[in-house]
Amino acid sequence: MIKPIAMIVISLSLMSGCASVPMESSDKSAHAKQFNPPSDGKAGLYVYRAGSFGGALKKDIWINGECLGQSAPNVFFYEEVNGGDEVKISTESEFSPNDLVVKTEDGKNYFVKQYIKMGMFVGGAGVEVIEENKAKEAISKLNLAVKGKCSS
């Protein structure tokens, strides 16, 4: 009886703690929140994680196999990618990465939300495209994280 209760307590503490990752300056964060068009021939990609569910969990995010960074609650990343290309956004999950492929257009911004879901042991993660206005509203309340810091 003690073991099942201990597992529940451990699981709940992992899902509700507070992880942190390195953050960019408030100036860089404010600039990214202007949602300017990307450079010529590029598409802008915002990847964000809002809310406190899974707060103790940091999750790696990759773009086309390259580390974008490690997420924590209430952070976002901004990256320019090639326009007119398929871009694979992946997030670390419980047993294997979850992938999302987005077909980009030059000059357009894209918004992807990373979400935490309850798993068998510590919790998985997924990514989904979010409508622009809803994403901008969420991102306006978040902070820009430092890119390129993954655990693996």
Side-chain angles (χ1 to χ4, degrees):
M1 181 69 173
I2 302 267
K3 284 186 180 182
I5 293 172
M7 291 302 294
I8 291 170
V9 170
I10 291 169
S11 294
L12 288 175
S13 68
L14 283 172
M15 299 310 283
S16 61
C18 189
S20 64
V21 295
M23 304 304 292
E24 292 287 2
S25 70
S26 57
D27 288 344
K28 283 186 178 182
S29 188
H31 180 70
K33 291 179 193 178
Q34 292 175 5
F35 306 106
N36 294 320
S39 305
D40 288 341
K42 298 289 186 177
L45 182 61
Y46 286 85
V47 181
Y48 70 98
R49 180 172 154 194
S52 59
F53 182 72
L57 301 174
K58 296 179 188 179
K59 293 291 185 179
D60 292 344
I61 301 170
W62 302 277
I63 297 178
N64 294 329
E66 297 289 323
C67 173
L68 176 62
Q70 202 172 45
S71 75
N74 301 315
V75 303
F76 75 98
F77 296 92
Y78 175 74
E79 181 77 4
E80 287 192 350
V81 296
N82 290 329
D85 216 352
E86 284 190 349
V87 176
K88 182 171 80 169
I89 301 106
S90 305
T91 185
E92 171 185 21
S93 197
E94 199 168 20
F95 298 112
S96 64
N98 285 332
D99 302 324
L100 171 70
V101 176
V102 176
K103 175 75 173 140
T104 63
E105 296 176 25
D106 293 354
K108 186 174 177 184
N109 285 319
Y110 293 84
F111 302 89
V112 174
K113 180 180 180 180
Q114 179 194 48
Y115 58 91
I116 303 298
K117 54 188 176 180
M118 186 63 98
M120 287 183 64
F121 300 107
V122 292
V127 283
E128 63 184 341
V129 174
I130 299 294
E131 187 272 327
E132 183 174 355
N133 289 334
K134 184 176 179 180
K136 284 181 176 179
E137 182 180 337
I139 291 168
S140 71
K141 301 171 188 163
L142 307 178
N143 295 305
L144 182 64
V146 172
K147 294 187 289 187
K149 308 275 186 192
C150 288
S151 62
S152 53

